Amino acid sequence: FETGAGGEIEQLSRGAWEWVADQRRPLYSGLGCKQWLSDMWACRLTQRTDFSYEGYRWHPENCEMPEFEGSEFLRRMQDKTIAFIGDSLGRQQFQSLMCMVTGGEEKPEVENVGRKYGLVKARGAIRPDGWAYRFPHTNTTFLYYWSASLCNIEPINMTDPATEFAMHLDSPPAFLNRFLNQFDVLVLNTGHHWNRGKLRANRWVMYANGNPVEDKKLAEIGNAKNLTVHSIVRWLDLQRSMHPRLKAFFRTISPRHFFNGDWNTGGSCNNTTPLAGGSEVWQDESSDPVVEGAVKGTGVKILDITAISQLRDEGHISRYSIKASDGIQDCLHWCLPGIPDMWNELLYAQL
């Protein structure tokens, strides 16, 4: 501590948090977990040969995090439903947790209960809007729902196949509104779909208060995202009195690591040396100020993974793929097993 200019006592942040090598990692095999893990994220199935990124865990100073154990987690989550709602990084976290809970082993007794939540593949769709699986022994359900923007999106003209879609910046997804009373743990995330290219490609048009957004300042991507994040957190906080058992988390943004260009201009992430940029985080504030600001003073907790993931650029899928073909590098998604496993260990510790 030291005395500030006004005579008040200020605490200096001297804590360090770091990645450390751990022979007990990974928590499941990258060659297994075929029941839950998408092939495109299973880097052990690609031509990649260096897997040292799998062998690290996050270690907070002066704090012993509980060791993750799948059967113990299921026991603690008996009769509960854990839901992830967000973009494809949320889907990675969901698949990671499924692999961690099962140890990557086949579990034929686990039930697909997606139909209960309307999560069935529509005609012509590549995949359903999400998945839900129930472990009968403990009656524990794990669910993922795809909502890249975390706001309610609905067609403007139901009868027009080429219709635009209203993205209601101040309203939660209809799915979340409908099923919130069935969730015990909720993990939200958003971030990477907030750009003009994604909005144009999806034919999304910003709405607020039920009307198209005409305020040019609000229509700026950063301000629109800020409104959505703050709106959904406020809405969730208001729901807490009706859902006292709910534990809600907002995960901070997962960092991208494109070097020498972006995803569509030759950007790459070719480093395979773990922690080449350092192993420690020295900061008390979040690297995602939007989420940090939104949850402050509410009952929604922050799941802060940005700064610790920023150090792990070698953990991305990079240029590797099942087909081993040249193409755009993926410096956004992560190899699994990998960094999202640690996000779930942090979630486990907070729960």
Side-chain angles (χ1 to χ4, degrees):
F1 296 86
E2 68 178 29
T3 306
E8 71 279 7
I9 300 297
E10 297 178 338
Q11 184 175 0
L12 297 180
S13 173
R14 300 204 185 279
W17 299 262
E18 63 180 339
W19 287 100
V20 295
D22 189 335
Q23 292 183 339
R24 295 169 296 180
R25 298 297 184 276
L27 298 175
Y28 55 94
S29 168
L31 294 172
C33 204
K34 298 183 186 300
Q35 196 172 355
W36 324 112
L37 178 56
S38 297
D39 284 353
M40 61 184 174
W41 294 334
C43 290
R44 287 268 182 178
L45 302 181
T46 71
Q47 71 275 28
R48 184 165 182 159
T49 58
D50 185 284
F51 303 101
S52 53
Y53 63 87
E54 294 180 349
Y56 289 82
R57 65 178 171 86
W58 182 246
H59 177 65
E61 186 179 61
N62 300 322
C63 173
E64 283 303 318
M65 281 180 58
E67 189 71 22
F68 186 92
E69 209 282 309
S71 58
E72 173 66 9
F73 183 74
L74 285 171
R75 188 188 67 78
R76 288 174 177 266
M77 293 294 112
Q78 183 157 352
D79 300 322
K80 291 181 168 53
T81 296
I82 301 104
F84 294 87
I85 297 183
D87 59 22
S88 56
L89 278 305
R91 184 179 164 210
Q92 284 212 295
Q93 189 175 0
F94 162 75
Q95 291 192 4
S96 159
L97 187 57
M98 292 297 295
C99 291
M100 290 168 66
V101 164
T102 60
E105 297 177 4
E106 290 287 316
K107 298 290 181 182
E109 73 276 14
V110 174
E111 301 172 33
N112 183 339
V113 292
R115 190 170 292 277
K116 174 183 175 183
Y117 300 93
L119 301 176
V120 293
K121 193 172 85 165
R123 182 176 295 176
I126 299 174
R127 61 179 72 95
D129 287 334
W131 295 265
Y133 298 103
R134 176 181 168 270
F135 287 74
H137 180 64
T138 56
N139 188 32
T140 307
T141 299
F142 295 84
L143 177 148
Y144 165 76
Y145 178 74
W146 187 86
S147 176
S149 65
L150 286 186
C151 58
N152 193 32
I153 295 177
E154 57 183 6
I156 295 172
N157 183 351
M158 288 282 290
T159 62
D160 181 5
T163 185
E164 293 182 317
F165 294 81
M167 58 182 309
H168 296 279
L169 304 177
D170 48 0
S171 299
F175 179 90
L176 179 57
N177 202 357
R178 179 181 176 188
F179 293 108
L180 182 67
N181 65 340
Q182 299 186 32
F183 301 155
D184 300 277
V185 178
L186 175 64
V187 183
L188 303 174
N189 90 283
T190 188
H192 293 294
H193 282 249
W194 288 92
N195 62 73
R196 290 292 170 195
K198 289 289 188 183
L199 265 64
R200 282 193 297 269
N202 291 316
R203 305 198 301 275
W204 289 348
V205 180
M206 293 181 189
Y207 272 60
N209 297 315
N211 297 304
V213 170
E214 296 179 354
D215 182 338
K216 289 184 178 178
K217 190 164 186 181
L218 176 55
E220 292 175 10
I221 291 290
N223 294 332
K225 174 189 166 189
N226 204 2
L227 172 60
T228 294
V229 172
H230 278 77
S231 293
I232 196 169
V233 169
R234 277 198 306 271
W235 176 80
L236 264 178
D237 201 39
L238 288 171
Q239 303 299 311
R240 288 175 61 229
S241 60
M242 292 178 284
H243 309 289
R245 75 178 191 273
L246 178 69
K247 288 181 166 52
F249 297 85
F250 208 121
R251 179 173 62 67
T252 61
I253 196 164
S254 172
R256 302 160 12 119
H257 288 93
F258 288 96
F259 297 99
N260 303 314
D262 210 329
W263 69 272
N264 56 350
T265 56
S268 63
C269 45
N270 292 323
N271 172 44
T272 57
T273 304
L275 307 169
S279 64
E280 298 179 337
V281 170
W282 293 79
Q283 63 188 60
D284 287 333
E285 71 283 356
S286 175
S287 294
D288 188 339
V290 173
V291 171
E292 183 178 48
V295 302
K296 188 175 182 181
T298 74
V300 180
K301 298 184 185 303
I302 190 170
L303 184 59
D304 200 346
I305 59 87
T306 307
I308 71 173
S309 305
Q310 187 68 47
L311 295 171
R312 302 303 307 277
D313 63 291
E314 88 288 0
H316 287 293
I317 292 169
S318 184
R319 64 183 182 275
Y320 305 105
S321 66
I322 298 291
K323 296 179 180 178
S325 56
D326 291 335
I328 295 171
Q329 291 209 17
D330 188 347
C331 306
L332 171 63
H333 297 100
W334 304 92
C335 291
L336 290 176
I339 312 309
D341 302 338
M342 198 63 239
W343 305 350
N344 284 321
E345 292 195 64
L346 289 171
L347 175 66
Y348 178 66
Q350 290 204 49
L351 286 172

